Amino acid sequence: MTTNIDFVDLKTQYESISSEIDAAIREVITTASFIGGRFVKSFESNFSRYCGLKHCIGVGNGTDALFIALKAVGAGPGDEVITAANSFIATSEAITLSGARPVFVDCDEKTCNIDVGRIERAITDKTRAIIPVHLYGQMADMHGLMGIAKRHGLHVVEDAAQAHGAKYKGQAAGTFGAFACFSFFPGKNLGAYGDAGAIVTNDDALATKARMYANHGRLDKYDHVFEGVNSRLDGLQAAILDVKLKHLERWTKRRQEIASIYDEGLKDFAIIPSVLPGAEHVYHLYVIRVRNRQDVRNALKGKGISTGVHYPTPLPLLKAYAHLGYKPDDFPSAYALKDEILSLPIYADMTDEQAGRVVRELKNAVCRAEGSLGA
Ligand SMILES: *Cc1c(COP(=O)(O)O)cnc(C)c1O
């Protein structure tokens, strides 16, 4: 009997580290370290070391991380912030939450990341910042992007919610812009057991600002210097993340192995992910392009294999942004990709046998879908 292959499988991961996790949870509870305290400090220090940066500020989730980073660089009403058309809505929501207006730029058809060549056209005298999204686990072309940001005096906040440990020409997320923002949503490469996020930076003053903003505008108990928000990483999540961080490098390597099994098996049947020279892809998502996507998805589902689509509608074409008046023609690449992209299951606990089954069934599904069209 063959078992189903889920899109993500967090239960198998927990089983592999349950004794460490259970002990960590117990320690948080028995020491009542629920908000702040040593577990948060420990994770912040370990995660900043992992990123190769000086500061890490734990926050409530990845959306808050982006919003707080934008407030720390001074984005607000009257400003515009440029970001990628193909992302999760959290990226542009954070811009709106800050008071600024999102301005979308089309993606590069190969990597699905922001097309750096189209950024300059979107810059106006109101532009305050750029948020590149390191989509699917591959960093955007940060060398090109930083050149533009420097020339125009713009802040850069990296959305690294899908890119824990990703590198571009040897440099990690967060070492280019003012901040990198991470999500530890359970299904991310480093996932908590609930909501959690973090902001990392090398800049002392920005770190202090972000830390204060995330904690009611204070550093000391009742010394509120300005109004902020309540967005803190809690002790339980920090302790869980600290345990998981020790396994992250191994898990990332395994994701990369699964990706190479897929690359090898699928390259003649679909457009496989394109990795920029010098980029280290951490494969939060393994996204291929196929025609007849719905037929292929259904066929895989019939064989017990779950897939996803990231994302079915480019952000500027969502109902939520109808008021901005964008048209499909404004985003030819994102629009062309949206009906073809297909995300395959990928996680460290997948076996070679499971990856092989996905390859086999996908080949069958692609051939059948093309046959049914008389191709
Ligand atoms: C997950 C994600 C976020 C938001 O993170 P949350 O922790 O869910 O708030 C932001 N940007 C991208 C690209 C994401 O994938």
Side-chain angles (χ1 to χ4, degrees), residues 1 6 49 58 85 123 129 164 173 179-180 202 210 228 243 255 278 362 367:
M1 197 198 85
D6 294 333
R49 191 167 329 118
I123 295 175
H164 313 73
F179 290 108
N202 258 338
V243 167
R255 282 177 182 271
L362 196 115
C367 294

Side-chain angles (χ1 to χ4, degrees), residues 174-355:
T175 60
F176 290 96
F179 290 108
C181 298
F182 289 90
S183 164
F184 306 120
F185 180 81
K188 299 287 159 85
N189 287 24
L190 178 62
Y193 288 171
D195 275 314
I199 302 169
V200 296
T201 182
N202 258 338
D203 187 300
D204 300 344
L206 285 178
T208 303
K209 232 183 193 168
R211 188 173 287 289
M212 291 175 77
Y213 201 90
N215 190 16
H216 302 296
R218 69 182 163 186
L219 285 176
D220 290 321
K221 197 159 190 184
Y222 292 118
D223 184 17
H224 304 276
V225 181
F226 53 83
E227 284 186 322
V229 293
N230 173 7
S231 183
R232 296 175 297 225
L233 173 65
D234 70 63
L236 274 171
Q237 301 305 344
I240 289 162
L241 288 166
D242 228 3
V243 167
K244 287 190 160 197
L245 182 58
K246 293 188 211 118
H247 301 278
L248 183 58
E249 217 168 283
R250 178 169 59 81
W251 288 340
T252 300
K253 284 210 180 83
R254 183 62 189 155
R255 282 177 182 271
Q256 291 164 338
E257 279 170 21
I258 301 289
S260 53
I261 294 174
Y262 283 165
D263 282 347
E264 197 45 47
L266 297 175
K267 61 182 190 307
D268 298 328
F269 295 85
I271 300 177
I272 59 170
S274 167
V275 182
L276 292 179
E280 191 185 336
H281 199 317
V282 297
Y283 293 102
H284 172 58
L285 295 168
Y286 185 93
V287 179
I288 60 169
R289 287 177 70 177
V290 286
R291 285 177 296 154
N292 319 318
R293 181 184 61 202
Q294 202 46 46
D295 295 339
V296 172
R297 274 198 96 177
N298 290 342
L300 288 172
K301 197 168 170 211
K303 296 287 178 184
I305 297 170
S306 303
T307 56
V309 175
H310 301 86
Y311 295 89
T313 308
L315 293 176
L317 305 178
L318 286 170
K319 289 187 202 88
Y321 295 111
H323 61 281
L324 297 177
Y326 286 111
K327 288 180 290 306
D329 286 355
D330 300 327
F331 307 96
S333 298
Y335 199 72
L337 287 167
K338 78 175 178 61
D339 296 320
E340 296 188 357
I341 44 182
L342 179 67
S343 310
L344 304 184
I346 190 162
Y347 35 92
D349 300 282
M350 267 182 104
T351 62
D352 287 6
E353 188 274 323
Q354 287 176 312

Side-chain angles (χ1 to χ4, degrees), residues 74-127:
D79 293 333
E80 293 173 358
V81 175
I82 291 171
T83 195
N86 189 20
S87 182
F88 179 60
I89 194 171
T91 316
S92 44
E93 271 176 341
I95 297 171
T96 308
L97 269 171
S98 78
R101 192 170 76 89
V103 173
F104 296 100
V105 168
D106 202 5
C107 62
D108 170 73
E109 233 173 273
K110 283 216 169 88
T111 61
C112 303
N113 273 329
I114 192 165
D115 183 348
V116 170
R118 292 194 247 211
I119 291 178
E120 233 155 0
R121 256 170 274 170
I123 295 175
T124 70
D125 52 6
K126 292 182 184 159
T127 309

Side-chain angles (χ1 to χ4, degrees), residues 15-69:
E15 280 160 22
S16 72
I17 53 170
S18 60
S19 57
E20 286 174 89
I21 293 279
D22 293 357
I25 290 174
R26 197 179 163 73
E27 220 185 322
V28 175
I29 297 171
T30 52
T31 58
S33 312
F34 299 117
I35 302 286
R38 69 182 163 100
F39 296 96
V40 174
K41 274 213 177 73
S42 165
F43 175 70
E44 285 181 341
S45 121
N46 289 331
F47 193 68
S48 62
R49 191 167 329 118
Y50 174 80
C51 296
L53 289 162
K54 268 166 80 179
H55 305 281
C56 168
I57 300 125
V59 296
N61 55 66
T63 312
D64 281 2
L66 288 163
F67 157 68
I68 292 162

